[in-house]
Amino acid sequence: MNRNLSASFIEHTLKRQEIAALYNDSGIDVENLNKSCGLSETLARGRLELDGPNTLTPPKELSNAMLLLQQFLNMFWLMLMGAGTASLIIYFIDMSVTANLFVALVLYVVIIFMCFLSFFEEKGARKVVRGFSKLLPTSCEVIRGGKRKTIPAEDLVIGDLVYIRIGNKVAADVRILTCNGVRLEMSSITGECEPIEFTDKPAGKHVSIFESNNVALNGSACVDGEGLGVVIRTGDNTVLGQIATLTTAQDDQKTLLDMEIEKFVKFLTVMGLSIAAVVFMAGIIISNFKNIFVIFINGFVCVAVANYPCGLPATLTSQMTIVARRMARKNVLCKKLPIIETFGAATVIASDKTGTLTKNDMTVTEIWYNKQIEIVTGKADDTRRYYLDLNEPNLMKMLRVMTVCNKATKIELEKMAVPFYDEPFGAVKRHLAFASTFLTQIVSIDIDPLQNEETKQKYNGLPSEVALLRYATNLLDVDKLRDDHEIVFEILFNSKRKWNMMITKKVDEKSQLKRQLSGDDGQVELELMMKGAAEIIIEMCSTIATKDGEKPLDESEKQTFFDAYTHFGNEGRRVIGFATKTFKAPADIQFSMEEGNYPKSELCFLGMTAIMDPPRDTTAGAIAECKSAGIKVFMVTGDHPSTAAAIAREIGLIGDLHG
């Protein structure tokens, strides 16, 4: 199977008109999607009969009898069963020797007990594979024949127009046609626990469906907003179906332990048969070739019992069972017991950085503008107070880009208990606090992280964007600033571009009056705002903001930038750069990624922020334990090498840092 799960998808790159043409049977009304007709019932039934139900094919499972039989087919158990059978035959030949019966019974009891123990362990572990079948919702709302109706999820077919609403799971792969603040949690597909904001805009040709943010994948959950889309894949053809097939339909392969046991058994078999032949020849010579059969059987049993470590299989199974139960208590479920040995033989662990090795709790610590570094947040035990002058134009420009070109949102303002309000003169203290805050905003801004203890603001969005918005919220009214700017075009961030861009226009009355008086008929003043990897954005700029105005971005200015950038990286900070450009364009212009009719160069670099994402408290200790066990730990990150190196030094990984 092709492991490029998005290779067959093209819908995420198509415009709404192209989607309507591709799925012309869906009756998509491009101008007013709510008037779309959807598939007819007759066509939907025909497609359901042709393509089958919208369900994931369950993995092939062995019956309990076959699973139990497999446990007895172990080479060790087969050899010991042969020895037990031979011992039982000797007992029936000469019942006066009860030791043979005892040996046979002991061997059979050990084999049966350990095989049943392995059977129950593996049976319980196989239940995890059935988890994929529980990811589909039971019903969904669609448009068919011009009417809204609720149908079972398994009846969805390609071309159905389906609604996505908060609290519901997506029942198939759906290309979103229109959305209103849709946010999807896709941990079952991508592993990302943070909800992602989706759009109905087409993505570039080079963008995969995982980064396009316009295809709601089967199994994802809607946590906010609502939208309407067209079903483009169902059942096993969805991304989730392909993942399930890759995960559950792989051929069983022998583990390292199985191969080592097989080699050991072959060695013992050859050695045992050779010794048994020698013992048999010696026995018949001594007995003058009498009772040849009894001598042969006795010789085989003696050699088998003497040469085979009968307790080895029982010891291995017992130890693996104990380890499996310990791992289960830590929510780690092993599909088969021998996998434990393979897991224990691991020599390399590759781990993601953000959110795994670090806390994923980001905070802006420094900013760089006017070619100088300003500390804006101290450590938790730092009692110093940091001030910024909001009359500085370049700082305000950077804060504007930081706020408007940002998808994070405030979701809740949770009031905390403030005991002194109930004390004597509590009202006076409260008014003094408000007056102090007002005066601070006029003169300067206090960015002490210990302030604002009476409120706790919560945010939605990517951790880095949340950090920027939280910082900007302490400085200005972000809601008003966003209301003053209308977004007319946006290019979302992805791992290849490494930047997010918005084109906005002001919506305040003064700006509109100014445009009317300017006499530029048909022209509108727009502002391009961009944020992202500073080292990428700086290459798109031709000027840099300074105290003396914009200056050409020559090699000297670039060196100043890289000195500050390297400093932040060596401190283990994630660096985000900001740029802007004001330009005029026709009022009816339609920007497009494919046409590239938006500014892509000659921007003005405003500055950058340094964001701290501290390592988890247990990371360094866990890495030290891995190293002591002979396991190499590698950190996987898209950060700049200097930033990655600083984090690696802090958690004890610097010896294992690779590009």
Side-chain angles (χ1 to χ4, degrees), residues 145-163:
K147 298 180 180 179
R148 296 187 185 186
K149 59 188 308 183
T150 301
I151 65 171
E154 57 266 22
D155 289 347
L156 274 181
V157 297
I158 294 176
D160 262 328
L161 297 182
V162 61
Y163 286 95

Side-chain angles (χ1 to χ4, degrees), residues 45-107:
R45 283 196 298 270
R47 289 188 178 180
L48 185 61
E49 293 176 1
L50 180 64
D51 299 334
N54 176 39
T55 56
L56 302 182
T57 302
K60 296 180 180 178
E61 294 187 4
L62 293 174
S63 64
N64 289 338
M66 289 300 298
L67 184 61
L68 180 60
L69 179 61
Q70 277 190 349
Q71 313 306 317
F72 287 92
L73 297 180
N74 182 286
M75 289 290 293
F76 244 125
W77 300 135
L78 291 175
M79 294 302 298
L80 290 181
M81 281 191 286
T85 302
S87 183
L88 196 61
I89 292 173
I90 296 174
Y91 169 74
F92 285 120
I93 294 175
D94 184 4
M95 292 188 177
S96 61
V97 183
T98 58
N100 291 323
L101 178 61
F102 176 76
V103 170
L105 291 177
V106 169
L107 290 176

Side-chain angles (χ1 to χ4, degrees), residues 1 3 242-253 335:
M1 177 177 286
R3 290 178 179 268
Q242 295 179 62
I243 293 174
T245 301
L246 288 174
T247 305
T248 62
Q250 298 295 322
D251 295 333
D252 288 338
Q253 297 181 354
K335 186 177 178 182

